[in-house]
Amino acid sequence: MRAKILSLLRQAGDRYISGEEIASRLGVSRTAVWKHIQELREAGYHIASHSRSGYSLREAPDRLLPGEIQHGLNVRCIGREIIFRDVVDSTNTLAKQVAADGAPEGTVIVAEQQNGGKGRLDRHFFSPAGKGIWFSVILRPPFLPQEAPKCTLLAAVAVAMGMERFGLKAGIKWPNDILYENKKLVGILTEMSAEMDGINYVVIGTGINVNIMAEDFPEELRATATSLSIMNGGKPLPRVKFFQAVLEAMDELYDAVKREGFAPVMAAWRRYSITLGQEVRVIGVRDGDVFTGRAADIDEDGALLVDTPSGRRRVLAGDVSIRPQKR
């Protein structure tokens, strides 16, 4: 009901619309309209009222509310269903629960704050309230399970595309870290439930540091983490608008993948890469193997191809950490 009232207020533009008209058009009482208006105000909407004229929407909050995100959102699949929470342990954890319960493809779980967000290799992801975009997307793709890790590359490209729409130049460090001045802006974690011959669901969790200032980061993260607002000269970004740009880019890429495979995603990833062509040091997380070489390319599976003095080596995402080789 609140979404319908918001829609009517938006349609009215700058003019007032009476409680009686809203009630008549929605088939509810004026008292019910008043109660929903109060709830919208409590959620952060600035709604002016006049005893004779009615109500007028003056300002919407920069909160990641479903009604705000979906207003003007142009997508085929991703974001048509949105589940919002003020606080969660992890959006990925909640996404896996609702996916197992049958949530439709494209459902987005978004929270203002995470208390237990995780990145690759089980690293904690700092997710403060109201300063970032912490979300997970549920996909039920037609491709085979071995293709699923490439969804991580898709998510990284989608964020990079969203940044470009706001005039911010992204750089992706293999496989999916987005960096600015060698500090991390974005973390992505893809998880999957699958059988031998098919995927039940894929959950892509993404954390974007949007309006976090340097002093907001814990001391131990200040040397390695940054945000879009810092990148933007200290100016905050409108989180809802930025989130819409990312969801639209992700939806566009996913639609292309279902039609053409991952080749378009791989090509876009190469354009944004700050790893390819660089001398890198590869550190094996599981076996402790360490070697250096030149990052030459990624293959059709998204693995990094590194040219070493002893030949080309193939590095799989999730198995290594990569740092620039000191000269």
mmCIF file of all heavy atoms in Angstrom, residues 2 34-50 54-56 61:
data_model
loop_
_atom_site.group_PDB
_atom_site.id
_atom_site.type_symbol
_atom_site.label_atom_id
_atom_site.label_comp_id
_atom_site.label_asym_id
_atom_site.label_seq_id
_atom_site.Cartn_x
_atom_site.Cartn_y
_atom_site.Cartn_z
ATOM 1 N N ARG A 2 1.966 1.248 0.801
ATOM 2 C CA ARG A 2 2.831 2.426 0.842
ATOM 3 C C ARG A 2 3.451 2.706 -0.520
ATOM 4 O O ARG A 2 3.615 3.862 -0.920
ATOM 5 C CB ARG A 2 3.916 2.244 1.906
ATOM 6 C CG ARG A 2 3.425 2.498 3.321
ATOM 7 C CD ARG A 2 4.519 2.350 4.340
ATOM 8 N NE ARG A 2 4.973 0.968 4.450
ATOM 9 C CZ ARG A 2 5.972 0.561 5.219
ATOM 10 N NH1 ARG A 2 6.650 1.467 5.928
ATOM 11 N NH2 ARG A 2 6.301 -0.692 5.299
ATOM 12 N N TRP A 34 -3.695 8.175 6.012
ATOM 13 C CA TRP A 34 -2.949 8.967 6.981
ATOM 14 C C TRP A 34 -1.916 8.109 7.711
ATOM 15 O O TRP A 34 -0.765 8.528 7.912
ATOM 16 C CB TRP A 34 -3.918 9.586 7.981
ATOM 17 C CG TRP A 34 -3.222 10.418 9.023
ATOM 18 C CD1 TRP A 34 -2.848 11.731 8.933
ATOM 19 C CD2 TRP A 34 -2.815 9.980 10.327
ATOM 20 N NE1 TRP A 34 -2.220 12.137 10.082
ATOM 21 C CE2 TRP A 34 -2.189 11.084 10.965
ATOM 22 C CE3 TRP A 34 -2.916 8.774 11.019
ATOM 23 C CZ2 TRP A 34 -1.673 11.006 12.255
ATOM 24 C CZ3 TRP A 34 -2.397 8.697 12.306
ATOM 25 C CH2 TRP A 34 -1.793 9.805 12.911
ATOM 26 N N LYS A 35 -2.307 6.892 8.107
ATOM 27 C CA LYS A 35 -1.377 6.003 8.817
ATOM 28 C C LYS A 35 -0.192 5.636 7.943
ATOM 29 O O LYS A 35 0.960 5.621 8.390
ATOM 30 C CB LYS A 35 -2.108 4.734 9.280
ATOM 31 C CG LYS A 35 -3.071 4.964 10.440
ATOM 32 C CD LYS A 35 -3.742 3.672 10.862
ATOM 33 C CE LYS A 35 -4.665 3.896 12.049
ATOM 34 N NZ LYS A 35 -5.363 2.636 12.449
ATOM 35 N N HIS A 36 -0.452 5.342 6.661
ATOM 36 C CA HIS A 36 0.645 5.004 5.760
ATOM 37 C C HIS A 36 1.544 6.207 5.497
ATOM 38 O O HIS A 36 2.766 6.055 5.363
ATOM 39 C CB HIS A 36 0.088 4.453 4.441
ATOM 40 C CG HIS A 36 -0.453 3.066 4.548
ATOM 41 N ND1 HIS A 36 0.326 1.987 4.915
ATOM 42 C CD2 HIS A 36 -1.712 2.567 4.324
ATOM 43 C CE1 HIS A 36 -0.411 0.894 4.919
ATOM 44 N NE2 HIS A 36 -1.653 1.214 4.567
ATOM 45 N N ILE A 37 0.964 7.399 5.425
ATOM 46 C CA ILE A 37 1.762 8.611 5.263
ATOM 47 C C ILE A 37 2.703 8.779 6.461
ATOM 48 O O ILE A 37 3.891 9.106 6.303
ATOM 49 C CB ILE A 37 0.868 9.861 5.108
ATOM 50 C CG1 ILE A 37 0.104 9.825 3.773
ATOM 51 C CG2 ILE A 37 1.700 11.140 5.237
ATOM 52 C CD1 ILE A 37 0.940 10.075 2.551
ATOM 53 N N GLN A 38 2.199 8.533 7.659
ATOM 54 C CA GLN A 38 3.031 8.636 8.860
ATOM 55 C C GLN A 38 4.177 7.630 8.819
ATOM 56 O O GLN A 38 5.303 7.942 9.202
ATOM 57 C CB GLN A 38 2.174 8.415 10.119
ATOM 58 C CG GLN A 38 1.120 9.489 10.359
ATOM 59 C CD GLN A 38 1.726 10.878 10.403
ATOM 60 O OE1 GLN A 38 1.518 11.694 9.508
ATOM 61 N NE2 GLN A 38 2.516 11.137 11.437
ATOM 62 N N GLU A 39 3.897 6.420 8.367
ATOM 63 C CA GLU A 39 4.934 5.395 8.271
ATOM 64 C C GLU A 39 6.001 5.791 7.251
ATOM 65 O O GLU A 39 7.196 5.558 7.464
ATOM 66 C CB GLU A 39 4.313 4.047 7.892
ATOM 67 C CG GLU A 39 3.472 3.439 9.011
ATOM 68 C CD GLU A 39 2.734 2.195 8.558
ATOM 69 O OE1 GLU A 39 2.809 1.842 7.365
ATOM 70 O OE2 GLU A 39 2.064 1.563 9.413
ATOM 71 N N LEU A 40 5.568 6.401 6.158
ATOM 72 C CA LEU A 40 6.530 6.865 5.157
ATOM 73 C C LEU A 40 7.402 7.976 5.726
ATOM 74 O O LEU A 40 8.615 8.023 5.469
ATOM 75 C CB LEU A 40 5.795 7.350 3.908
ATOM 76 C CG LEU A 40 5.177 6.250 3.036
ATOM 77 C CD1 LEU A 40 4.225 6.849 2.013
ATOM 78 C CD2 LEU A 40 6.269 5.441 2.332
ATOM 79 N N ARG A 41 6.822 8.864 6.491
ATOM 80 C CA ARG A 41 7.611 9.918 7.126
ATOM 81 C C ARG A 41 8.630 9.333 8.095
ATOM 82 O O ARG A 41 9.776 9.778 8.155
ATOM 83 C CB ARG A 41 6.680 10.891 7.850
ATOM 84 C CG ARG A 41 5.918 11.834 6.914
ATOM 85 C CD ARG A 41 4.830 12.585 7.644
ATOM 86 N NE ARG A 41 4.263 13.652 6.824
ATOM 87 C CZ ARG A 41 3.108 14.251 7.079
ATOM 88 N NH1 ARG A 41 2.373 13.860 8.129
ATOM 89 N NH2 ARG A 41 2.665 15.220 6.285
ATOM 90 N N GLU A 42 8.205 8.329 8.845
ATOM 91 C CA GLU A 42 9.127 7.675 9.782
ATOM 92 C C GLU A 42 10.273 6.989 9.051
ATOM 93 O O GLU A 42 11.376 6.860 9.584
ATOM 94 C CB GLU A 42 8.364 6.670 10.643
ATOM 95 C CG GLU A 42 7.417 7.316 11.651
ATOM 96 C CD GLU A 42 6.520 6.308 12.336
ATOM 97 O OE1 GLU A 42 6.687 5.089 12.077
ATOM 98 O OE2 GLU A 42 5.643 6.729 13.122
ATOM 99 N N ALA A 43 10.003 6.539 7.822
ATOM 100 C CA ALA A 43 11.051 5.893 7.016
ATOM 101 C C ALA A 43 11.988 6.905 6.375
ATOM 102 O O ALA A 43 12.979 6.516 5.750
ATOM 103 C CB ALA A 43 10.411 5.032 5.931
ATOM 104 N N GLY A 44 11.685 8.208 6.520
ATOM 105 C CA GLY A 44 12.591 9.226 6.014
ATOM 106 C C GLY A 44 12.079 10.065 4.861
ATOM 107 O O GLY A 44 12.787 10.954 4.376
ATOM 108 N N TYR A 45 10.852 9.823 4.423
ATOM 109 C CA TYR A 45 10.289 10.613 3.332
ATOM 110 C C TYR A 45 9.799 11.954 3.867
ATOM 111 O O TYR A 45 9.126 12.011 4.906
ATOM 112 C CB TYR A 45 9.123 9.870 2.676
ATOM 113 C CG TYR A 45 9.541 8.665 1.877
ATOM 114 C CD1 TYR A 45 9.653 7.417 2.483
ATOM 115 C CD2 TYR A 45 9.850 8.786 0.524
ATOM 116 C CE1 TYR A 45 10.054 6.308 1.754
ATOM 117 C CE2 TYR A 45 10.243 7.681 -0.208
ATOM 118 C CZ TYR A 45 10.349 6.444 0.413
ATOM 119 O OH TYR A 45 10.748 5.347 -0.302
ATOM 120 N N HIS A 46 10.137 13.026 3.149
ATOM 121 C CA HIS A 46 9.641 14.360 3.509
ATOM 122 C C HIS A 46 8.351 14.595 2.728
ATOM 123 O O HIS A 46 8.377 14.869 1.528
ATOM 124 C CB HIS A 46 10.687 15.431 3.166
ATOM 125 C CG HIS A 46 10.228 16.820 3.474
ATOM 126 N ND1 HIS A 46 10.852 17.940 2.991
ATOM 127 C CD2 HIS A 46 9.183 17.277 4.234
ATOM 128 C CE1 HIS A 46 10.216 19.019 3.408
ATOM 129 N NE2 HIS A 46 9.203 18.639 4.166
ATOM 130 N N ILE A 47 7.238 14.456 3.428
ATOM 131 C CA ILE A 47 5.921 14.629 2.813
ATOM 132 C C ILE A 47 5.240 15.811 3.473
ATOM 133 O O ILE A 47 4.933 15.780 4.672
ATOM 134 C CB ILE A 47 5.060 13.354 2.956
ATOM 135 C CG1 ILE A 47 5.757 12.162 2.282
ATOM 136 C CG2 ILE A 47 3.674 13.568 2.351
ATOM 137 C CD1 ILE A 47 5.053 10.832 2.501
ATOM 138 N N ALA A 48 5.051 16.857 2.688
ATOM 139 C CA ALA A 48 4.358 18.041 3.202
ATOM 140 C C ALA A 48 2.865 17.786 3.213
ATOM 141 O O ALA A 48 2.347 17.016 2.394
ATOM 142 C CB ALA A 48 4.688 19.247 2.333
ATOM 143 N N SER A 49 2.167 18.450 4.134
ATOM 144 C CA SER A 49 0.708 18.299 4.191
ATOM 145 C C SER A 49 0.064 19.659 4.384
ATOM 146 O O SER A 49 0.648 20.571 4.984
ATOM 147 C CB SER A 49 0.313 17.353 5.324
ATOM 148 O OG SER A 49 0.759 17.846 6.575
ATOM 149 N N HIS A 50 -1.118 19.795 3.843
ATOM 150 C CA HIS A 50 -1.907 21.020 3.968
ATOM 151 C C HIS A 50 -3.343 20.608 4.231
ATOM 152 O O HIS A 50 -3.878 19.710 3.566
ATOM 153 C CB HIS A 50 -1.810 21.845 2.685
ATOM 154 C CG HIS A 50 -2.375 23.219 2.798
ATOM 155 N ND1 HIS A 50 -3.731 23.478 2.736
ATOM 156 C CD2 HIS A 50 -1.763 24.415 2.988
ATOM 157 C CE1 HIS A 50 -3.930 24.773 2.869
ATOM 158 N NE2 HIS A 50 -2.760 25.375 3.030
ATOM 159 N N GLY A 54 -4.016 18.574 0.897
ATOM 160 C CA GLY A 54 -3.606 17.172 0.958
ATOM 161 C C GLY A 54 -2.115 17.005 1.180
ATOM 162 O O GLY A 54 -1.521 17.698 2.028
ATOM 163 N N TYR A 55 -1.504 16.128 0.389
ATOM 164 C CA TYR A 55 -0.108 15.751 0.611
ATOM 165 C C TYR A 55 0.734 15.989 -0.637
ATOM 166 O O TYR A 55 0.242 15.906 -1.770
ATOM 167 C CB TYR A 55 -0.016 14.268 0.988
ATOM 168 C CG TYR A 55 -0.834 13.881 2.201
ATOM 169 C CD1 TYR A 55 -2.069 13.240 2.039
ATOM 170 C CD2 TYR A 55 -0.387 14.153 3.477
ATOM 171 C CE1 TYR A 55 -2.825 12.879 3.148
ATOM 172 C CE2 TYR A 55 -1.135 13.795 4.596
ATOM 173 C CZ TYR A 55 -2.357 13.157 4.423
ATOM 174 O OH TYR A 55 -3.098 12.808 5.512
ATOM 175 N N SER A 56 2.031 16.247 -0.399
ATOM 176 C CA SER A 56 2.975 16.441 -1.502
ATOM 177 C C SER A 56 4.333 15.871 -1.109
ATOM 178 O O SER A 56 4.848 16.186 -0.023
ATOM 179 C CB SER A 56 3.110 17.928 -1.843
ATOM 180 O OG SER A 56 4.103 18.128 -2.838
ATOM 181 N N PRO A 61 14.284 9.751 0.962
ATOM 182 C CA PRO A 61 15.540 9.489 1.674
ATOM 183 C C PRO A 61 16.523 8.731 0.794
ATOM 184 O O PRO A 61 16.128 7.992 -0.107
ATOM 185 C CB PRO A 61 15.093 8.610 2.850
ATOM 186 C CG PRO A 61 13.893 7.879 2.317
ATOM 187 C CD PRO A 61 13.196 8.857 1.414
#
